[in-house]
Amino acid sequence: MTEQAGIPTAELTTVLLVDDEENILSSLRRLLRHQPWRILTATSGAEALAILERETVDLIVSDARMPGMDGAALLSQVREVHPDCMRIMLTGYAEMATIMSAINNGQIYQYLTKPWNDEHLVLTLSKALDHQATERERSRLERLALEQNTQLRLLNESLDSRVKARTAELQQTSDMLDLSFEELRRSYVTSTEVFSLLINQRLPKGKQTNQDVISLVRAFCEDQAIDIQLSRDMTMAAALYNIGKLSWSDNLIVAPADLLYQKNRATYRSYPTQSESLLMTLEPLQDAARLIRFHQERWDGSGFPDNLKGEAIPFGSRLLKLAVDFVELQVGLYLERYLNRDEALLFIRNNSGKLYDPNLAESFISTCVNYLTDVKIGDPAVRAVSTRKLVEGMILARNLHAENGMLLLNEGKQLSSQLIEKLIAFEAVESGHYTVFVRDPLAG
């Protein structure tokens, strides 16, 4: 194997120079002799095509005017047969027709004029080869992304119950994103939703929250005509907000936040910053990672990790907290008690100005009323009252459950004075507090 400057010929970039004038070829060879390229030459289009049949050529520089086959015709054929070969035309004639033919049919990278500027010619060739290397790397990464997407799909189908295996598979998908994010720039929002499905593998089916949080955030952004870039960042934040919990034990990851705050305070308070740290190395996710960091801040400044207050909390983080809390209240990840949707919205309204941005909270409730078909809180005929404000004849607008989840009364049940007394007594025994959604008997 022949070598140039100690480098095997097979590893050198190959440049083919085509000109019918030997003195031009000699000048170009002298100019390029110090470049780390293998230089081939041809004195006609036919000879150039013959060389291309037996050699791998990265860049061809062809004169425009040659007997028989001109440069435009040659470069057009090169494009058809060897599309990966970069194409540059060298011309001493200001003939627009020839140049346009080369551009349209040969799709040349650039054209240079004779006499050339040595520095400009070398720089142009170097840029062309750099561009080619970038395109080849992009293609390689696209193939790699497709291969790893296939592997990811197969891994998803084979996930078992062991935490170690699921965590390893999530790490593999994270590595895949790191390798291929350039190719997935236009679809990385979808990619994060795929990863959210992997996060759900750590949770029992009834506590898998990410998809519901994503849906709510999207509904709000559409309802409020939120800027498209913020909507994308919000969707990615909703998909990955709890990725920092993946290192937790099974017992911790399914425990409600109020218990974690009492018994595992440091661990619980660390998950937003851990989530941010995992995502900050990926450029397309950096804005979403920032929203995740602050999504447990509270309007009154009592949240974490930085005790931000009011509008110092990013808008997207305030919205994410509303969506996360609304969903987690319903699956036992916020309080020990499971709330229904109306109770969760009532919780948000009651904590508006303390935990939540008051204006944003009302907009969020309005979106939920429009988006969720079974929400009663938006019905003007429905009221949420305590047991001691119940009146005989009122009709239940929602099933009523005890603190332990047991069904006490069905929706549609008309309350009698005896039922009201029993509810008050049962509430006292449980040391609980029931919120009852009712219709007045005369309401439509």
Side-chain angles (χ1 to χ4, degrees), residues 147-422:
E147 291 171 5
Q148 296 211 12
N149 277 331
T150 300
Q151 293 174 13
L152 173 62
R153 185 173 64 255
L154 294 174
L155 287 171
N156 286 343
E157 294 170 355
S158 64
L159 283 172
D160 57 24
S161 60
R162 292 174 300 173
V163 172
K164 182 178 179 180
R166 287 194 292 265
T167 304
E169 287 158 2
L170 180 63
Q171 182 61 50
Q172 186 172 4
T173 61
S174 178
D175 292 343
M176 181 208 71
L177 179 62
D178 195 31
L179 288 171
S180 61
F181 80 97
E182 283 295 338
E183 289 67 44
L184 299 174
R185 289 185 72 90
R186 295 181 182 178
S187 60
Y188 51 72
V189 174
T190 303
S191 300
T192 58
E193 293 188 50
V194 173
F195 297 150
S196 76
L197 297 176
L198 293 181
I199 294 172
N200 283 339
Q201 299 298 318
R202 285 294 319 279
L203 294 163
K205 187 173 182 180
K207 294 183 182 290
Q208 296 176 1
T209 58
N210 299 69
Q211 290 303 308
D212 289 337
V213 176
I214 291 171
S215 297
L216 277 174
V217 165
R218 278 186 170 151
F220 182 90
C221 289
E222 183 177 347
D223 194 35
Q224 301 294 319
I226 300 297
D227 170 78
I228 187 169
Q229 186 56 52
L230 178 57
S231 299
R232 289 174 178 171
D233 291 336
M234 284 298 311
T235 301
M236 291 188 293
L240 302 173
Y241 79 92
N242 53 356
I243 195 173
K245 296 181 180 180
L246 289 179
S247 61
W248 292 6
S249 68
D250 288 345
N251 289 336
L252 286 182
I253 205 168
V254 297
D258 57 344
L259 287 183
L260 289 171
Y261 211 80
Q262 297 170 25
K263 299 179 180 179
N264 301 91
R265 182 184 179 93
T267 299
Y268 178 66
R269 287 169 63 96
S270 69
Y271 92 84
T273 54
Q274 288 179 348
S275 298
E276 180 195 35
S277 297
L278 287 170
L279 302 175
M280 280 299 288
T281 56
L282 304 177
E283 182 181 348
L285 295 175
Q286 288 179 356
D287 290 337
R290 178 176 171 80
L291 299 182
I292 291 172
R293 175 186 178 88
F294 300 121
H295 84 278
Q296 285 295 351
E297 300 288 357
R298 296 177 173 180
W299 185 255
D300 64 1
S302 64
F304 58 90
D306 299 314
N307 301 114
L308 299 184
K309 183 177 182 180
E311 293 189 358
I313 306 168
F315 173 86
S317 300
R318 285 178 265 154
L319 172 58
L320 183 59
K321 178 168 180 58
L322 283 163
V324 168
D325 287 1
F326 175 66
V327 173
E328 292 192 349
L329 280 164
Q330 297 174 66
V331 297
L333 287 175
Y334 192 118
L335 305 174
E336 287 187 83
R337 177 176 173 241
Y338 288 58
L339 304 187
N340 61 43
R341 285 177 168 176
D342 283 306
E343 290 172 326
L345 290 177
L346 196 61
F347 177 93
I348 288 173
R349 178 168 284 165
N350 291 340
N351 286 280
S352 175
K354 180 181 178 183
L355 305 182
Y356 312 110
D357 174 348
N359 294 325
L360 188 57
E362 285 305 314
S363 297
F364 179 80
I365 291 171
S366 175
T367 294
C368 290
V369 170
N370 295 332
Y371 177 68
L372 304 171
T373 57
D374 63 338
V375 169
K376 308 294 184 182
I377 199 170
D379 187 341
V382 174
R383 290 191 293 146
V385 299
S386 66
T387 54
R388 296 187 179 277
K389 292 186 177 180
L390 294 173
V391 176
E392 183 177 4
M394 285 181 170
I395 299 170
L396 283 182
R398 259 195 177 279
N399 291 341
L400 178 62
H401 294 268
E403 293 284 336
N404 62 8
M406 180 179 68
L407 178 63
L408 297 178
L409 294 172
N410 289 318
E411 177 183 346
K413 181 72 174 180
Q414 187 168 28
L415 298 176
S416 64
S417 57
Q418 287 182 328
L419 272 178
I420 296 171
E421 290 173 4
K422 287 181 179 180

Side-chain angles (χ1 to χ4, degrees), residues 102-156:
I103 292 173
N104 293 332
N105 300 322
Q107 293 187 4
I108 63 172
Y109 175 77
Q110 196 166 337
Y111 70 90
L112 301 169
T113 58
K114 297 178 184 178
W116 60 79
N117 176 282
D118 288 354
E119 183 178 349
H120 178 64
L121 185 143
V122 173
L123 180 60
T124 299
L125 269 59
S126 296
K127 284 184 177 180
L129 291 169
D130 287 344
H131 177 77
Q132 181 186 63
T134 300
E135 286 298 303
R136 286 173 174 173
E137 180 64 8
R138 182 185 63 79
S139 297
R140 185 188 71 81
L141 288 175
E142 284 179 349
R143 292 193 298 271
L144 179 61
L146 288 174
E147 291 171 5
Q148 296 211 12
N149 277 331
T150 300
Q151 293 174 13
L152 173 62
R153 185 173 64 255
L154 294 174
L155 287 171
N156 286 343

